[in-house]
Amino acid sequence: MAKDIKVLRKKIKSFDSTLHLTGAMGLVASSKIRKATDAMLEGRKYLEIITNVVDDLIKCPECKKSVYFGVDKKTTEETGESEKMAKLIVIAGDRGLCGGYNANVFRLVRDMDNIDVVPIGKRAYDRYTTDLNETDDDMAENNVFESSEYYSYDKAMELALECIKEFREGKVDRVGVVYNKYVSILTQTPEVKWLLPLERPEKGEVNTGIFEPEPMTLLDDIVPQYVAGVLYALVKESFACEVAARRMAMDSAKKNATEMIENLQLEYNRVRQGKITQEITEIVAGSGK
């Protein structure tokens, strides 16, 4: 009986520590949500504007032969050429304890074949990089992985130029981003957004507007900004999803820990009351003799 009380007391203390930890992490996530969602909304505004500009340009007759439209699938099937590798930028978090945020992205990538993965976020780096001989501290010091929380536009432009170069040289036939789309604080869905090749305009869609400089030159200049802008916006959106997912996960963990403590406290009180009753019974029985 004494052993049971000691074990229950130890469990209550353990869950109480978990309750304080999850509560603190939930507060940290809550403090980051506003800033993260503001950055996401600003990224969406920029994304909408630059996408509209690119859409206007690709509808110009002069841009029909742009290299950014890639090779037509019908032409590839006729020549019998094999499908080239796709460049896939996978955005995950730097930390765990955020529900299925990271797992959902990895599950989506798992179903894809013939891809070259570029990880953003420590969790993605750990999963898709095999030569991890350094410790976490060494990795952080050498900055061998790109943090999803502190990702900059300069890094996005650097990666965009690299992807565009490989696409123009024919080393890859597609460039895409796997990220989490922010639906609400309760819902985040993993999606793939293909950046290159650009989608050809539908028949009948023609833009005869006047551009300065000429549309082809303007398209060549704006595509790197488009790819970098989309990538940067999606990283910010993914981080907002991570913060929201962690907030909900910590709230759920806090609720479960509180419930477990209440159940253990009831059991502890029953065992303690049973022990007191037993001692009183033994005293009464002893005095009767």
Side-chain angles (χ1 to χ4, degrees), residues 23-35 243 247 251:
M25 293 188 68
L27 289 174
V28 172
S30 298
S31 67
K32 291 183 177 181
I33 283 180
R34 180 64 182 272
K35 185 178 180 180
V243 174
R247 163 69 187 278
D251 284 352

Side-chain angles (χ1 to χ4, degrees), residues 35-51 226 228-237:
K35 185 178 180 180
T37 51
D38 286 346
M40 176 191 69
L41 294 175
E42 290 297 324
R44 283 183 174 180
K45 290 179 183 178
Y46 177 79
L47 182 58
E48 182 180 0
I49 293 171
I50 198 168
T51 300
Y226 166 72
V230 173
L231 175 57
Y232 181 73
L234 296 185
V235 171
K236 292 303 177 184
E237 181 158 352

Side-chain angles (χ1 to χ4, degrees), residues 242-286:
E242 179 187 358
V243 174
R246 182 170 292 112
R247 163 69 187 278
M248 299 310 300
M250 292 302 99
D251 284 352
S252 179
K254 183 179 178 180
K255 180 180 178 181
N256 292 336
T258 302
E259 185 177 346
M260 287 297 298
I261 289 174
E262 290 176 355
N263 293 336
L264 288 171
Q265 192 69 51
L266 287 174
E267 186 177 355
Y268 173 81
N269 291 337
R270 281 197 297 266
V271 173
R272 183 168 175 271
Q273 186 63 44
K275 182 183 178 184
I276 293 173
T277 302
Q278 182 181 357
E279 290 177 352
I280 292 174
T281 302
E282 290 175 353
I283 292 172
V284 172

Side-chain angles (χ1 to χ4, degrees), residues 123-218:
R123 293 291 176 173
Y125 179 85
D126 290 346
R127 185 175 183 87
Y128 298 111
T129 307
T130 55
D131 52 343
L132 297 178
N133 297 321
E134 299 177 315
T135 64
D136 291 348
D137 293 338
D138 290 332
M139 286 192 293
E141 183 179 353
N142 296 330
N143 195 26
V144 295
F145 71 91
E146 299 295 344
S147 170
S148 58
E149 182 175 357
Y150 304 107
Y151 199 72
S152 65
Y153 181 80
D154 292 337
K155 289 291 184 181
M157 178 59 75
E158 183 181 335
L159 180 54
L161 292 174
E162 178 186 339
C163 293
I164 289 172
K165 180 182 178 182
E166 292 185 9
F167 181 81
R168 291 178 66 98
E169 292 175 352
K171 294 180 180 178
V172 297
D173 66 342
R174 291 187 298 168
V175 177
V177 182
V178 180
Y179 72 106
N180 272 285
K181 182 178 180 180
Y182 188 96
V183 180
S184 69
I185 193 172
L186 297 174
T187 308
Q188 303 85 36
T189 58
E191 291 190 1
V192 182
K193 183 174 180 62
W194 296 106
L195 306 180
L196 295 174
L198 300 176
E199 293 185 7
R200 295 182 182 274
E202 297 181 2
K203 291 182 179 180
E205 291 185 336
V206 179
N207 189 342
T208 57
I210 299 174
F211 293 89
E212 182 64 34
E214 60 179 354
M216 277 290 287
T217 303
L218 194 56

